[in-house]
């Protein structure tokens, strides 16, 4: 699965669990870590966990390796490493503090076609 397709899969799964303010950043040429970052947040610890769980499940159903999942128990900032795509799901109170969109301000935003909001 190509990076952009994987990004859309993760965004769709996050959107199904009502993740808010989903933002995709094109990290190619900026970071060696991944091609894309997907950033969103949930309004409660349980919602953050549900979003992360569903992204992991949908990726595994399509035989995409989940290289790492960190922060699930605390549910303040869950990082899901899908290889070409790194997903950052924050609790709403944590997202402004880390402000990844500003930190990676050189990255261009990627339109998310599968996301309704």
């Amino acid at each position: 699965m190509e990076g952009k397709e994987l990004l859309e899969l993760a965004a769709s799964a996050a959107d199904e669990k009502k993740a808010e303010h989903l933002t995709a950043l094109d990290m190619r040429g900026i970071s060696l870590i991944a091609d894309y970052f997907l950033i969103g947040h949930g309004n409660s610890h349980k919602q953050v966990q549900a979003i992360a769980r569903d992204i992991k499940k949908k990726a595994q159903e399509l035989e995409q390796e989940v290289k790492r999942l960190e922060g699930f128990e605390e549910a303040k900032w869950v990082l899901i490493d899908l290889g070409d795509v790194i997903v950052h799901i924050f609790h709403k109170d944590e997202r402004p503090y880390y402000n990844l969109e500003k930190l990676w301000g050189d990255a261009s935003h990627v339109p998310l076609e599968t996301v309704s909001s």
Side-chain angles (χ1 to χ4, degrees):
M1 183 174 275
E2 300 272 331
K4 184 76 189 294
E5 294 172 311
L6 193 53
L7 175 66
E8 292 290 337
L9 171 88
S12 178
D15 189 54
E16 286 177 18
K17 294 297 180 187
K18 308 295 184 210
E20 295 195 12
H21 300 289
L22 286 172
T23 302
L25 301 178
D26 187 339
M27 302 303 290
R28 295 174 294 178
I30 297 171
S31 172
L32 299 175
I33 298 170
D35 290 345
Y36 300 99
F37 279 3
L38 178 65
I39 306 164
H41 71 265
N43 292 313
S44 69
H45 291 99
K46 289 198 181 292
Q47 185 185 16
V48 169
Q49 288 176 333
I51 294 165
R53 191 179 298 115
D54 205 46
I55 291 170
K56 179 182 175 186
K57 177 183 167 205
K58 296 274 170 60
Q60 288 175 330
E61 285 174 354
L62 294 175
E63 299 181 3
Q64 294 298 309
E65 180 184 5
V66 177
K67 295 182 179 210
R68 177 175 280 163
L69 189 137
E70 293 183 10
F72 184 82
E73 291 302 318
E74 298 82 15
K76 292 180 180 182
W77 177 1
V78 178
L79 182 141
I80 307 160
D81 183 348
L82 301 173
D84 290 340
V85 177
I86 306 251
V87 181
H88 304 269
I89 302 297
F90 289 95
H91 185 281
K92 70 176 180 176
D93 296 335
E94 299 293 321
R95 186 172 182 174
Y97 178 78
Y98 292 101
N99 199 357
L100 293 185
E101 294 91 339
K102 183 177 180 184
L103 179 66
W104 295 102
D106 293 349
S108 60
H109 288 251
V110 179
L112 295 170
E113 292 133 23
T114 61
V115 179
S116 59
S117 54

